[in-house]
Amino acid sequence: VVLKIIKHYQEEGQGNEVVQGVLLGLVVDDRLEITNCFPFPQHTEDDADFDEVQYQMEMMRSLRHVNIDHLHVGWYQSTYYGSFVTRALLDSQFSYQHAIEESVVLIYDPIKTAQGSLSLKAYRLTPKLMEVCKEKDFSPEAKDRDCYLQVRLLSSQVSASHPQNYLTFVFNNCLNKESEVILFHECFLYFSNHLGKSLQLLMDRVDEMSQDIVKYNTYLRNVSKQQQQKHQYQQRRQQENIQRQSRGEAPLPEEDINKLFKPPQPPPRMESLLIASQINTYCQNIKEFNAQNLGKLFMAQALQDYNN
């Protein structure tokens, strides 16, 4: 399965192109075993008649006919510099997990893998977030708003293990050999480019978070301003009724104050949660990248000094 996912990206993934596919397998005791997979075919806007659901059903029917594991247990997706925490992924995983309780999403990072270590992580949505997505109430007043305060609740990473057979061993060795002989300046430029790209993506997300904070603060100011207007209106109404009663007139009828003052539309909090989770992912990736490659950089420097 690992080699199929890698092969799929190498054949169809270009740059920041994302490839996706279906995971097949079965549940054994308390362990989910992923034993097979097949990719989603690439199609353009001209292929308007293409039905992905029908394609998946036909593939699983064909696998069942040849006695190969055909039970649907999730899906996989490649990522570009760890940019996988999106609303599309959240909606897709919710649909999978709602229909198939044990389903997972495997995130394959080709850039990390190219450095010599296989990067493949499994994720699931937490039960609390599943409830929020089911109710589709992302307002600040939602009853489960506490989940917004904990970014890690977006997805719980599941421990993923894969058997190290001969093919996987050879593949990893080939990846490692590509980066064994490298000069210091080449190594430094590669690390600088990778780190610079990661930091640029991180800054873009921080800017988006800053804009969301401004929107939310504006919403709070509008709510506070409206509350003051409501209070002033009620005071004027009460004084006017007192004056009417003193003149022997009937008080004014009560009106629905919520119709007079429509509450401002609150900004959706789910987008802020996704951005915050993506920021956390970028920070984690940068931390892992530095830990893995500082040693290589020092070794390249030492080798260059020795040769000089």
Side-chain angles (χ1 to χ4, degrees), residues 243-289:
Q243 294 176 0
R244 290 176 67 90
Q245 288 178 358
S246 64
R247 294 194 300 266
E249 299 176 357
L252 296 174
E254 294 185 359
E255 296 180 356
D256 188 358
I257 195 170
N258 291 326
K259 292 182 179 180
L260 297 175
F261 299 92
K262 293 183 179 180
Q265 187 68 23
R269 302 300 306 278
M270 182 55 68
E271 297 302 324
S272 299
L273 173 65
L274 293 172
I275 295 174
S277 298
Q278 187 60 69
I279 289 175
N280 182 70
T281 301
Y282 284 144
C283 293
Q284 187 65 28
N285 288 345
I286 292 174
K287 179 181 178 181
E288 293 177 358
F289 176 81

Side-chain angles (χ1 to χ4, degrees), residues 38-53:
F38 61 85
F40 289 146
Q42 294 282 358
H43 57 275
T44 60
E45 297 179 354
D46 298 332
D47 304 330
D49 298 334
F50 179 77
D51 189 347
E52 290 187 357
V53 177

Side-chain angles (χ1 to χ4, degrees), residues 4 15 44 113 152 190 233 252 303:
K4 282 184 177 181
T44 60
T113 302
R152 295 183 183 274
Y190 173 75
Y233 175 82
L252 296 174
L303 180 61

Side-chain angles (χ1 to χ4, degrees), residues 292-307:
Q292 292 174 359
N293 295 287
L294 278 178
K296 295 181 182 179
L297 185 62
F298 292 147
M299 287 296 294
Q301 176 66 61
L303 180 61
Q304 180 173 331
D305 294 343
Y306 175 78
N307 291 333

Side-chain angles (χ1 to χ4, degrees), residues 49-60:
D49 298 334
F50 179 77
D51 189 347
E52 290 187 357
V53 177
Q54 183 65 25
Y55 171 78
Q56 294 181 42
M57 297 300 294
E58 292 178 358
M59 283 292 297
M60 289 186 287

